[in-house]
Amino acid sequence: MKKRLPGILSKRIPPWVIFLVAIIVGGYVLVTHLVKVYAERNAADHEIALEQAEISECKQRLLLFYNAWKRYRADHKGAEPTTLESLIPKYIPDPNLLVCPTVARWAKKGVHFTVGTVTIGRRIYPVSYGFRWLASSTNAYDIKKEGDNAPLVVCYSHEEGVYWAAYHRPPPIGAFNWGQRGRWVAPVRHTYALVIRRNGKIDTLSPDDE
């Protein structure tokens, strides 16, 4: 024989109470989500504002790299440099220029973006730019697809900085291709990598080419 539960548990909970609790819980979840999204958007917008001057400086570095590549080819009968080391110091005077200003600012806060390295005179320097002509398979594909408009040097650091500001973690692999962009808050979705092309044009990189 079943025993009756004592007190309030022995009574059936009215439907309106269940409905009210569901509304309260759902409202709390919604408000928490909206507050989180608002904070992520604000942080990303603030990062975008900080990056404006850095982007201008970054564009000057991209132009420097383009001119270094162009001058090297003029000196070597059209051959492209096979290493970054071959460009320093004759064509790129300071290896410290191989790091985007946005990367340098975040490093001071203890956040380190994905970078490579180059060794000059037994000293190791970080490299944050993507020198596409050095990746033979990627370079061949880019040229076949876009000709002189193919990417030459790419800076991914600005979109990475905006992602870091919003989510406080490194972006996952493929975060900035079309398939994943829709997951992020608007300021992250609408920030793109900078590129200088083989024809010297500076613009943003399509997510198709990430």
Side-chain angles (χ1 to χ4, degrees), residues 14-105:
W16 68 267
V17 173
I18 298 174
F19 181 69
L20 181 61
V21 170
I23 290 177
I24 293 172
V25 172
Y28 173 78
V29 171
L30 177 61
V31 169
T32 301
H33 173 71
L34 291 176
V35 169
K36 179 173 175 288
V37 170
Y38 179 78
E40 290 167 350
R41 288 176 60 103
N42 268 6
D45 283 334
H46 179 66
E47 173 65 16
I48 288 172
L50 289 177
E51 287 186 6
Q52 293 310 299
E54 294 166 348
I55 288 173
S56 295
E57 187 175 349
C58 185
K59 288 179 178 180
Q60 293 301 313
R61 294 190 186 187
L62 290 174
L63 187 59
L64 170 70
F65 302 149
Y66 169 78
N67 286 329
W69 170 80
K70 191 175 179 180
R71 287 168 53 213
Y72 181 97
R73 294 189 68 192
D75 291 344
H76 295 82
K77 299 180 180 179
E80 296 189 338
T82 56
T83 65
L84 283 179
E85 289 88 342
S86 62
L87 294 174
I88 300 167
K90 182 176 180 179
Y91 303 98
I92 299 175
D94 184 358
N96 289 302
L97 296 172
L98 299 173
V99 172
C100 172
T102 295
V103 175
R105 172 170 55 84

